[in-house]
Amino acid sequence: MRRYEVPRLAFINKLDRMGADPWKVLNQARSKLRHHSAAMQVPIGLEDDFEGLVDLVQLKAYYFRGSNGEKVVTEEVPADMEALEVEKRRELIEAVSEVDDQLAEAFLGDEPISPADLQEAIRRATIALKFVPVFMGSAFKNKGVQPLLDGVLNYLPCPIEVSSYALDQTKNEEKVELTGSLDGPLVALAFKLEEGRFGQLTYLRIYEGVIRKGEFIINVNTGKKIKVPHLVRMHSDEMEVRFWIYSITGGFSCYWYIEPLRAGSPTKFEFENLLVGQAIPSGFIPAIEKGFKEAANSGALIGHPVENLRVVLTDGAAHAVDSSELAFKLASIYAFRQCYTASRPFILEPVMLVELKVPTEFQGAVAGDINKWGSYFILSLFLFSNGLFMILVYL
């Protein structure tokens, strides 16, 4: 870490296990790893009695409630721990004062040190690679992870505070500073590869620019263009696809989308395949189109067939074993229904309002014929004294 000048935090884990001794671990980090470090927290109980932490910067006690410790409760420091809190906070201030002149001046002058002053000093020393804050907890039970993540925000630099450089291979590896701007060309590091349910998953750290689904990126080692087929968001070991469904009202990256047909189109339904490559084998495309058409024509979800609609397939994925024509057909039907309702469409008709007057004895036959038209709606029925029956219909 020193070689690459990376600021870091330390986390002492498993305080709920038998034999847990965070102070022994902290001393080993100082002696064996030569870390200039100090504890940021004091545990409330150890082993089976571990239930929370005392924050030595904010002077607050944190308790982790709930089945997974997800609910953090902030309280005052227990009275029986005040002496230990004072001792360990003084150790923290002394350690930071050794590498931060501003805090040292206040400490030697016996001036009161506020939580904000101490936090700023720890941040300066950590970014300057002179100090390693040490956090504690039990990651498995999610006790202490939340303050650790807060520590990442409070004490580690944001991208624009760190100088990052790339080597321009087109200019004899000339050193180029990366600004971290979203408007610049994409510069990213693929630091991990993993085989997942969608094939190979590549973890990226982006230094500059943005990456979008469907765009091409260049592998600087081979010079080849690579299309980004999918984007996913990782949370621990859970992967969330971004996103499968596109809505007319929203923006979601998409595998397909629907839109109204242009005026004057000779058909009532269009399907267009814009797939590039073999993300989905070509043999499954007719099944996908059939699924969309069936979902639109059945009208089971919305009460009437959907017309004047264009479905565009942009991307997708297939499984070597589980994929089949039936699977893609059913997936298309389900996706269309979910997307159509999520888009909250509304009818722009009537094109005209038609008034039909027929003898009363033909009421049933005429109403039945109108219902067979499917996308036309009977607005209201009127019976006149002269024996005529009037029907108002939206066409």
Side-chain angles (χ1 to χ4, degrees), residues 134-335:
V134 178
F135 294 80
M136 307 177 182
S138 173
F140 178 70
K141 294 185 178 180
N142 205 24
K143 296 182 177 181
V145 177
Q146 300 92 332
L148 174 64
L149 296 178
D150 291 337
V152 172
L153 297 177
N154 293 333
Y155 304 116
L156 295 183
C158 68
I160 61 174
E161 293 179 312
V162 178
S163 297
S164 298
Y165 298 90
L167 302 179
D168 190 342
Q169 295 188 349
T170 63
K171 297 182 180 179
N172 198 26
E173 295 193 350
E174 179 182 334
K175 202 172 184 180
V176 180
E177 184 175 3
L178 303 177
T179 63
S181 170
L182 299 178
D183 301 324
L186 175 67
V187 180
L189 172 67
F191 62 90
K192 179 181 178 181
L193 301 179
E194 180 182 284
E195 285 296 325
R197 53 176 174 161
F198 294 109
Q200 179 176 291
L201 184 65
T202 304
Y203 291 79
L204 294 177
R205 178 179 181 182
I206 299 179
Y207 292 89
E208 186 173 280
V210 295
I211 186 170
R212 298 182 179 90
K213 181 181 174 297
E215 291 186 347
F216 287 91
I217 59 177
I218 298 176
N219 186 328
V220 295
N221 292 325
T222 62
K224 294 182 179 180
K225 288 185 176 180
I226 303 173
K227 185 180 180 182
V228 181
H230 311 296
L231 287 177
V232 299
R233 179 170 63 183
M234 298 298 296
H235 177 68
S236 184
D237 59 347
E238 298 178 1
M239 182 170 63
E240 176 187 342
V241 181
R242 318 251 325 165
F243 289 103
W244 285 97
I245 302 300
Y246 174 87
S247 167
I248 291 177
T249 59
F252 310 151
S253 2
C254 60
Y255 290 89
W256 66 277
Y257 63 89
I258 59 177
E259 64 183 11
L261 283 176
R262 295 180 178 87
S265 175
T267 63
K268 295 183 179 181
F269 181 90
E270 286 184 6
F271 176 83
E272 185 173 358
N273 176 20
L274 296 183
L275 278 175
V276 178
Q278 291 293 316
I280 297 178
S282 57
F284 293 137
I285 302 302
I288 296 174
E289 180 178 1
K290 187 176 181 181
F292 282 127
K293 283 184 176 179
E294 285 191 11
N297 292 331
S298 67
L301 185 70
I302 52 179
H304 64 89
V306 178
E307 297 180 349
N308 301 321
L309 197 65
R310 180 171 177 259
V311 176
V312 182
L313 180 66
T314 60
D315 205 349
H319 192 275
V321 177
D322 297 334
S323 293
S324 65
E325 292 186 3
L326 178 61
F328 273 107
K329 177 183 174 182
L330 294 177
S332 301
I333 293 174
Y334 176 78

Side-chain angles (χ1 to χ4, degrees), residues 12 21-35 37-39 88 91 134 136:
I12 300 177
D21 188 349
W23 310 117
K24 179 180 179 181
V25 176
L26 178 58
N27 290 330
Q28 288 177 339
R30 290 168 174 166
S31 61
K32 296 183 179 181
L33 300 179
R34 297 183 180 178
H35 284 173
S37 57
K88 294 300 181 183
E91 288 183 10
V134 178
M136 307 177 182

Side-chain angles (χ1 to χ4, degrees), residues 8-84:
R8 63 268 195 197
L9 309 179
F11 182 71
I12 300 177
N13 194 15
K14 301 181 180 180
L15 295 190
D16 59 333
R17 301 292 182 87
M18 183 179 297
D21 188 349
W23 310 117
K24 179 180 179 181
V25 176
L26 178 58
N27 290 330
Q28 288 177 339
R30 290 168 174 166
S31 61
K32 296 183 179 181
L33 300 179
R34 297 183 180 178
H35 284 173
H36 185 75
S37 57
M40 302 286 290
Q41 302 159 327
V42 174
I44 302 175
L46 286 173
E47 301 180 350
D48 292 339
D49 297 327
F50 175 63
E51 56 178 339
L53 296 164
V54 172
D55 190 325
L56 297 178
V57 177
Q58 301 298 331
L59 302 177
K60 296 290 184 180
Y62 300 126
Y63 295 89
F64 306 97
R65 311 298 189 195
S67 57
N68 292 314
E70 69 279 2
K71 184 178 181 182
V72 182
V73 179
T74 303
E75 297 181 3
E76 296 299 322
V77 178
D80 59 348
M81 294 191 64
E82 289 181 354
L84 181 61

